[in-house]
Amino acid sequence: MKLVCIGRNYGEHAKELGNTLPEEPVVFLKPESALIPHGGPIRLPRFSQDVHHEIELVFSIAVRQGKAYADRVTIGLDLTARDLQQELKAKGLPWEKAKAFDGSAYVAEDFTAVESFPAGHHLEFLLKKNGQVAQSGHSGQMIFDVPTLIAHVERYMRLESGDLLFTGTPAGVGALRGGDRLEGYLLGELLFDLQVEGPESQR
Ligand code: ZN
């Protein structure tokens, strides 16, 4: 199973990081070992002083008659060591150290069947940090929609049943500190409630 992630898929977020809007999807991977166990906590790594939260719609891929499609949806976190990512980007190096580290991904436990939503329905989601809304968005704001993303990814790598597609984050990303609490909502329903632990509190 692989985690396929899309960068810069919401215009306002691309702008807040000083990136231009992409002409085609930005694709990167995280390994399965990046996943935080259900219920958390999020443990911040020692090598970064600037780990950002990115809440994203996450789609579980299924394959029917050889064709990959988005079967079920939930929300997750693409945690990013922004200081390290900026360094790597400046040097033209790959992002894995900043994006694929242990504990850099969270996927909520409860998924909903995509086909249970009417066509064109915008999936609204939001992230609260310490009780305040930090990020909010909906699927209609994506620059590239999910079928376009799947078709694009499959030009380069095969998607398999159980793969997870992270579809990019809306504006409002920010740094995490030990003691923070993150609550993720999809369509008004609380799907995760996670505590953040700083490196100093880890043994
Ligand atoms: Zn992301």
Side-chain angles (χ1 to χ4, degrees), residues 5-8 13 28 54 56 78 80 99 166 168-169:
C5 306
I6 305 300
R8 303 175 198 167
H13 169 64
F28 58 96
E54 296 189 358
E56 314 204 352
D78 163 21
T80 304
K99 281 284 198 184
F166 283 65
T169 199

Side-chain angles (χ1 to χ4, degrees), residues 16-34:
E16 75 180 341
L17 293 184
N19 292 312
T20 52
L21 296 186
E23 286 167 18
E24 59 175 35
V26 174
V27 179
F28 58 96
L29 298 177
K30 291 179 190 255
E32 194 174 348
S33 51

Side-chain angles (χ1 to χ4, degrees), residues 62-69 71 115 161:
V63 178
R64 187 190 289 148
Q65 291 168 348
K67 201 171 156 38
Y69 66 100
D71 182 31
E115 64 180 18
S161 273

Side-chain angles (χ1 to χ4, degrees), residues 165-176:
L165 178 68
F166 283 65
T167 52
T169 199
V173 300
L176 295 175

Side-chain angles (χ1 to χ4, degrees), residues 2-11 13-14 17 19-30 53-59 61 70 76-80 82 85 95 99 104-105 125 135 139 141-157 159 163-171 173:
K2 57 188 175 294
L3 314 182
V4 180
C5 306
I6 305 300
R8 303 175 198 167
N9 202 26
Y10 288 78
H13 169 64
L17 293 184
N19 292 312
T20 52
L21 296 186
E23 286 167 18
E24 59 175 35
V26 174
V27 179
F28 58 96
L29 298 177
K30 291 179 190 255
H53 54 77
E54 296 189 358
I55 189 167
E56 314 204 352
L57 289 170
V58 178
F59 292 83
I61 299 293
L77 291 167
D78 163 21
L79 299 180
T80 304
R82 194 71 70 199
Q85 187 196 27
W95 295 356
K99 281 284 198 184
S104 62
F125 60 105
Q135 293 188 266
S139 53
Q141 297 166 330
M142 290 184 193
I143 297 172
F144 302 104
D145 67 11
V146 172
T148 304
L149 293 174
I150 289 174
H152 183 81
V153 168
E154 285 214 303
R155 278 198 232 166
Y156 303 91
M157 66 190 87
L159 288 169
D163 286 350
L164 294 171
L165 178 68
F166 283 65
T167 52
T169 199
V173 300

Side-chain angles (χ1 to χ4, degrees), residues 92-163:
L93 293 171
W95 295 356
E96 276 82 353
K97 289 180 184 175
K99 281 284 198 184
F101 57 87
D102 292 348
S104 62
Y106 189 78
V107 178
E109 208 164 359
D110 297 329
F111 284 80
T112 305
V114 170
E115 64 180 18
S116 68
F117 302 109
H121 186 81
H122 294 331
L123 302 176
E124 292 178 4
F125 60 105
L126 65 84
L127 180 73
K128 284 187 187 174
K129 180 160 78 172
N130 304 325
Q132 305 287 326
V133 176
Q135 293 188 266
S136 67
H138 64 77
S139 53
Q141 297 166 330
M142 290 184 193
I143 297 172
F144 302 104
D145 67 11
V146 172
T148 304
L149 293 174
I150 289 174
H152 183 81
V153 168
E154 285 214 303
R155 278 198 232 166
Y156 303 91
M157 66 190 87
R158 186 158 49 91
L159 288 169
E160 298 170 299
S161 273
D163 286 350

